[in-house]
Structure formats: C-alpha cells, structure tokens
C-alpha cells in the first residue's frame, strides 16, 4: 500500500428499511452508537423513478437521476461551489443539485487525529430514505480532515455500488482547499473546484457501477500533486460507455 492512499470505496452494511431512527443526533452521542442515530441534516430529498440498468463491456451500471451535493455549513468560503457545479454540468448527464447542509459532526471528531469516515458513512446511510432516492448519487462535502483505515488519509470515502440501495461519498476539503486569513478565505476557489470536481465526477461513475478503468479521470491519485496532474476528462472507450449509461454527457 502506498504511503498516502487518498481514496477509498467502502462496502458498508445497509440499515434495515423498517428501523426507526431519531432525526437529531444529540451532542453527547458517541460514534459507536451510529447505527441507532441519524445526523441532524437538512436534506431536500429528490423523488426518483425506477433505476435503469445498462449492460456494456464494463458490466452493469445504474443510470443516476441526480447528483446531490450536500455542502456543510462549516465550510467558511464556499465560492468554489458555483464553479464546481458548472464543471460537473459540463461532463455529467444527470442534473446537479446543491443542498446547504447542517449536521453535527462533533461526535465523529476524535480528540487527536483525523475524523473516522466509517461511522460517519454508516450514520448517513442510515439517515437517508434510499428506497425513494436509490439512484441519486449523494456527496457530502465537509471541511474536516478524515481517514478510512487502512489509508492514512482520504480525499474522499465512498460507499455503494449496483448491488446496494445507497450511493454515497464524503469529500474532505482539508487538503483540497488552501485557506488564508485565519482559515476563512480560499486562496484559489478555481483550484478547489477543479480538485473536488475530479473526485465527484469519477466517484459518480464508480458508485453507479463503472469500475473497469483507471485511465484519465479514473486515475488513482496518492497525493495532492497526483490529483492535480489527473486529466479532467473521461477517455475513450470509457466516455462512450458512460454516455450510453446516462452517466456522462456527449461532448459538444
């Protein structure tokens, strides 16, 4: 394993559909109780129709009905968000929706070290009605630095594939956004948008089942410099397959 593995796709268990969960996570809750708690999120759920499967050389994929970006309120400078949406709209076929999100992350913050992505992923999986939103790909963007072991840190941590009802990714801005003025101002919102765009575009395809390539945008970056060097486009034959699957847009 490389010294810095910065992306992880975690196959986590789904919560029982009939499990009753409280809506607000108390301040004194512990991450070990995440399977009985729901984050205090302001979610705008999207009504979705039946998922459409596509069979091609890369295997079965799902057609996403939307990509929802949950932008956490603690991100001080959000000027990168419109730039991010514009980039995603240029390459992804489904509509892109941004949702200001308020949630209590304190129970997931260790005294020392990085936030543990695993209990946060599980809590979010348990707090969304995936039966209604099973083909919406959801990205929760947070400011905290995080890891999903055994990786030392992660730019993004994801859960789900074509066999699960959930398709979810957490994106950490801690290493992607260069902050100044006491952590309040983004030095380069364009660069932040570019970095987040690469993770979201790639993981949208991955979560919808496209896992046959590591070329171009699908490259696996192990450092920030490798992420910056990654191309911003899908290559052929991936692009044609993703267009046919309803994941990517056909080039203009």
């Amino acid at each position: 394993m490389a010294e810095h593995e910065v992306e992880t796709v975690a196959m986590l268990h789904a919560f029982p559909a009939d499990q009753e969960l409280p809506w607000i996570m108390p301040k004194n809750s512990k991450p070990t109780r995440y399977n009985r708690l729901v984050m205090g999120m302001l979610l705008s759920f999207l009504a979705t129709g039946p998922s459409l499967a596509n069979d091609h050389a890369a295997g079965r994929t799902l057609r996403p009905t939307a990509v929802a970006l949950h932008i956490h309120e603690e991100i001080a400078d959000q000027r990168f968000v419109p730039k991010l949406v514009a980039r995603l709209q240029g390459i992804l076929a489904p509509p892109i929706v941004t949702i200001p999100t308020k949630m209590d992350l304190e129970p997931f913050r260790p005294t020392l070290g990085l936030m543990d992505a695993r209990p946060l992923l599980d809590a979010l999986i348990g707090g969304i009605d995936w039966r209604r939103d099973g083909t919406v790909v959801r990205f929760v963007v947070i400011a905290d630095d995080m890891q999903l072991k055994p990786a030392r840190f992660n730019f993004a941590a994801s859960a789900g594939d074509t066999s699960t009802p959930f398709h979810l990714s957490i994106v950490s801005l801690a290493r992607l956004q260069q902050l100044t003025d006491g952590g309040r101002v983004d030095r380069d919102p364009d660069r932040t948008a570019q970095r987040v765009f690469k993770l979201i575009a790639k993981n949208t395809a991955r979560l919808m089942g496209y896992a046959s390539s590591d070329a171009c945008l699908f490259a696996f970056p192990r450092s920030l410099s490798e992420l910056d060097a990654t191309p911003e486009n899908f290559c052929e034959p991936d692009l044609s397959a993703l267009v046919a699957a309803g994941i990517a847009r056909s080039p203009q």
Side-chain angles (χ1 to χ4, degrees):
M1 179 177 299
E3 181 181 5
H4 300 298
E5 284 197 2
V6 295
E7 292 181 286
T8 303
V9 176
M11 284 306 305
L12 305 177
H13 67 275
F15 284 71
D18 58 352
Q19 185 173 354
E20 293 186 2
L21 301 171
W23 180 244
I24 301 296
M25 173 175 278
K27 287 281 188 180
N28 60 356
S29 299
K30 297 182 181 298
T32 53
R33 297 179 57 208
Y34 60 79
N35 60 332
R36 298 179 53 222
L37 300 169
V38 173
M39 303 303 298
M41 297 182 65
L42 301 180
L43 296 176
S44 298
F45 291 122
L46 303 171
T48 66
S51 62
L52 301 177
N54 301 273
D55 293 316
H56 53 72
R60 180 175 179 269
T61 63
L62 299 176
R63 185 184 299 270
T65 50
V67 174
L69 310 180
H70 298 271
I71 310 299
H72 194 270
E73 64 172 356
E74 291 182 7
I75 299 172
D77 190 341
Q78 299 189 11
R79 288 178 297 156
F80 72 94
V81 175
K83 303 174 187 295
L84 168 62
V85 171
R87 285 178 178 270
L88 291 171
Q89 288 174 333
I91 196 171
L92 296 180
I96 311 299
V97 181
T98 59
I99 304 170
T101 298
K102 180 178 181 180
M103 56 193 295
D104 181 13
L105 293 176
E106 197 60 35
F108 301 93
R109 290 173 174 146
T111 303
L112 297 172
L114 283 63
M115 174 184 288
D116 186 353
R118 187 171 298 276
L120 180 54
L121 279 167
D122 263 3
L124 291 167
I125 290 170
I128 297 174
D129 184 1
W130 298 101
R131 293 171 296 179
R132 182 173 64 175
D133 294 325
T135 50
V136 174
V137 187
R138 296 188 178 274
F139 291 88
V140 180
V141 184
I142 63 175
D144 293 75
D145 207 359
M146 71 175 182
Q147 69 175 161
L148 186 61
K149 294 180 179 179
R152 295 185 60 183
F153 68 86
N154 300 79
F155 292 158
S158 302
D161 60 18
T162 56
S163 69
T164 66
F166 50 85
H167 305 95
L168 170 71
S169 185
I170 303 169
V171 177
S172 165
L173 292 184
R175 299 167 193 259
L176 305 177
Q177 188 177 44
Q178 305 297 314
L179 296 174
T180 60
D181 193 19
R184 295 186 296 272
V185 178
D186 191 335
R187 186 191 304 272
D188 191 345
D190 289 324
R191 178 58 62 88
T192 300
Q194 179 188 52
R195 291 168 172 172
V196 179
F197 157 79
K198 291 179 180 181
L199 297 169
I200 290 178
K202 171 171 61 176
N203 285 325
T204 295
R206 294 293 195 211
L207 289 166
M208 291 288 96
Y210 196 84
S212 65
S213 177
D214 60 2
C216 297
L217 193 52
F218 285 117
F220 186 91
R222 291 174 171 80
S223 67
L224 194 57
S225 60
E226 288 187 11
L227 178 63
D228 287 340
T230 301
E232 294 186 48
N233 300 298
F234 298 115
C235 296
E236 293 292 1
D238 299 323
L239 179 58
S240 293
L242 292 169
V243 170
I247 297 170
R249 285 188 182 276
S250 179
Q252 298 298 323

